[in-house]
Amino acid sequence: MKISITLLSFCLLAAFPQSRADVRLPKSAFTLDRMEEAMKTAQEQKKPVAYLYTNTATTCPLAAGASEGFLEAVGKRCVLVYLPVKGGKKSAQVSAAVKAALQKGKFYPKLVLTSSDGSGAQCFTYEAYQADSRKAAREIRKQITVLTKKQS
């Protein structure tokens, strides 16, 4: 009996594909190859820039949830730039301030907010979001307001 239950369990596990928790970026998000366009858009619209450093094809529901939370907190009040985990920090197009801010925290996703000229980089980490997601969202919105007022 134990053998048949074990065999049935393995068959069921093999029949179902691994669950994925992919992150869906908004259509307005820019990628590294369109960095100049993102900066120009931010300056024209007088909006801060939000860099989301994450893996969009993740199997971790916690990381996907934090990424979605970051995206929700940012909303349409920033120009969003997606930084992929592989090559995102090392890209030549990313400013030194953003690279330095991304050094905070051990895990991704991370969100870095800057003004349209790249100054005032502040990083919001996965660890802080997991500790208190509401507080992190409030801090993100507060920083966006500060950066927007600076640019006006």
Side-chain angles (χ1 to χ4, degrees):
M1 183 70 170
K2 287 183 181 180
I3 293 174
S4 62
I5 291 174
T6 305
L7 185 58
L8 180 63
S9 298
F10 282 120
C11 290
L12 287 174
L13 288 174
F16 292 105
Q18 285 188 355
S19 64
R20 297 196 56 91
D22 293 343
V23 176
R24 294 181 189 227
L25 297 173
K27 291 180 182 179
S28 60
F30 291 90
T31 54
L32 284 173
D33 57 338
R34 297 176 51 212
M35 186 69 77
E36 288 179 26
E37 186 181 346
M39 293 300 144
K40 184 178 176 183
T41 302
Q43 289 174 350
E44 287 173 357
Q45 296 178 0
K46 295 186 179 183
K47 288 183 175 181
V49 181
Y51 298 90
L52 181 62
Y53 177 71
T54 191
N55 181 4
T56 56
T58 182
T59 57
C60 177
L62 296 175
S67 294
E68 295 291 335
F70 285 151
L71 289 172
E72 186 178 315
V74 168
K76 295 183 179 186
R77 296 177 299 183
C78 291
V79 173
L80 181 67
V81 178
Y82 166 62
L83 299 177
V85 172
K86 292 185 180 181
K89 273 200 260 188
K90 299 174 184 163
S91 174
Q93 294 123 335
V94 179
S95 70
V98 173
K99 288 179 187 176
L102 286 172
Q103 297 303 317
K104 294 181 181 178
K106 268 183 153 176
F107 306 107
Y108 61 86
K110 299 176 185 178
L111 180 75
V112 177
L113 296 174
T114 68
S115 61
S116 60
D117 64 359
S119 64
Q122 184 173 356
C123 184
F124 296 91
T125 62
Y126 168 80
E127 294 87 350
Y129 184 84
Q130 284 303 106
D132 189 349
S133 61
R134 289 183 182 175
K135 181 180 177 186
R138 280 193 307 270
E139 289 296 320
I140 291 169
R141 289 186 199 106
K142 186 175 164 184
Q143 182 65 20
I144 290 171
T145 303
V146 168
L147 290 171
T148 303
K149 286 181 181 178
K150 264 178 139 178
Q151 296 180 142
S152 296

